[in-house]
């Protein structure tokens, strides 16, 4: 594999992690967060729908003061049913959690010191939104930037299978009380500090 060749060529700079089977984005992300050694973590899916050179825009936002940068696919190159599901899921997040994001499931740049203060509770596609919400509640600056999105040319999308859809909403309902508890605690602390 390419990643193995790069790890051999650049030891200490590139490390390869493998799973015997596809465990999904969530497991891969939490492992990435745990194993990261540097100050910033850039998550970029390998489906080529967002190109690596977009990192320049993420870094510019970080240099301007953002602690976390969410890329949002301004013109999504996805079929209608996938776009509809993403709209419905964003709406559910807004209704249940009180936070609105253009897109919290694309490509993100994270400050490692912020991630170290967050307990990850999501077991599904809510993870990136959960991190952004908790970072905001902790007082960190979360910025959204538009990124170019291209049609998928390889691999299969699994996020809109009935089981995946069901698990996504179950995950949202499970995590919502914990996030709302954090919101209440933050509001109480702000009220007492006045």
């Amino acid at each position: 594999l390419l990643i193995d060749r790069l790890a051999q060529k650049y030891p200490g700079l590139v490390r390869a992690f493998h799973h015997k089977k596809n465990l999904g984005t969530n497991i891969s992300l939490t492992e990435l967060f745990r194993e990261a050694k540097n100050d910033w973590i850039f998550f970029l899916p390998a489906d080529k729908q967002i190109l690596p050179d977009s990192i320049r825009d993420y870094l510019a936002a970080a240099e301007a003061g953002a602690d976390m940068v969410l890329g949002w696919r301004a013109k999504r190159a996805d079929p209608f049913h996938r776009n509809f599901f993403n709209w419905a899921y964003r709406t559910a997040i807004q209704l249940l959690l009180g936070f609105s994001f253009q897109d919290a499931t694309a490509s993100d740049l994270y400050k490692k010191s912020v991630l170290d203060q967050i307990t990850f509770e999501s077991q599904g596609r809510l993870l990136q939104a959960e991190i952004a919400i908790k970072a905001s509640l902790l007082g960190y600056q979360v910025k959204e930037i538009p990124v170019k999105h291209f049609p998928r040319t390889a691999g299969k999308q699994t996020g809109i299978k009935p089981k995946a859809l069901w698990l996504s909403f179950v995950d949202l309902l499970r995590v919502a009380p914990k996030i709302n508890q954090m919101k209440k605690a933050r509001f109480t602390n702000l009220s007492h500090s006045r």
Side-chain angles (χ1 to χ4, degrees):
L1 293 175
L2 174 61
I3 188 67
D4 293 315
R5 294 198 301 271
L6 290 172
Q8 283 185 333
K9 187 173 181 180
Y10 304 104
L13 181 63
V14 177
R15 289 182 295 152
F17 297 92
H18 298 283
H19 300 137
K20 291 183 179 179
K21 64 177 184 176
N22 186 346
L23 300 177
T25 302
N26 189 309
I27 298 296
S28 298
L29 272 178
T30 52
E31 184 176 2
L32 169 70
F33 297 153
R34 185 174 62 249
E35 295 292 338
K37 305 295 183 188
N38 294 314
D39 296 336
W40 290 90
I41 300 167
F42 183 54
F43 167 65
L44 180 71
D47 56 16
K48 299 181 182 177
Q49 289 193 272
I50 299 173
L51 300 181
D53 63 0
S54 65
I55 193 172
R56 289 192 292 261
D57 298 323
Y58 289 83
L59 292 174
E63 287 171 3
D67 299 298
M68 177 177 173
V69 185
L70 300 177
W72 65 278
R73 295 161 280 196
K75 292 183 180 178
R76 290 189 66 138
D78 284 327
F80 171 80
H81 62 283
R82 190 169 182 88
N83 288 331
F84 176 78
F85 168 68
N86 279 288
W87 169 83
Y89 197 64
R90 284 197 329 267
T91 302
I93 289 173
Q94 185 172 7
L95 291 173
L96 289 172
L97 304 180
F99 281 81
S100 178
F101 298 107
Q102 295 281 354
D103 188 355
T105 59
S107 180
D108 306 321
L109 179 66
Y110 306 90
K111 186 180 281 187
K112 178 74 162 65
S113 59
V114 175
L115 291 177
D116 290 341
Q117 298 178 53
I118 294 173
T119 300
F120 309 134
E121 290 160 307
S122 170
Q123 297 174 1
R125 66 181 286 120
L126 183 66
L127 179 65
Q128 290 160 272
E130 177 195 358
I131 293 169
I133 290 168
K134 288 182 174 179
S136 297
L137 290 171
L138 290 171
Y140 292 105
Q141 183 181 349
V142 177
K143 182 172 178 57
E144 293 183 275
I145 61 168
V147 292
K148 289 183 180 178
H149 190 237
F150 297 90
R152 190 177 187 124
T153 57
K156 292 182 179 180
Q157 295 172 326
T158 58
I160 54 170
K161 289 183 177 179
K163 183 179 178 182
L165 294 176
W166 169 249
L167 291 175
S168 293
F169 283 101
V170 168
D171 194 41
L172 178 56
L173 292 172
R174 187 179 56 79
V175 175
K178 297 176 182 180
I179 288 181
N180 286 324
Q181 189 176 23
M182 269 186 82
K183 285 170 59 180
K184 185 177 180 181
R186 178 170 169 77
F187 178 77
T188 301
N189 291 337
L190 288 174
S191 297
H192 289 163
S193 65
R194 289 178 181 169

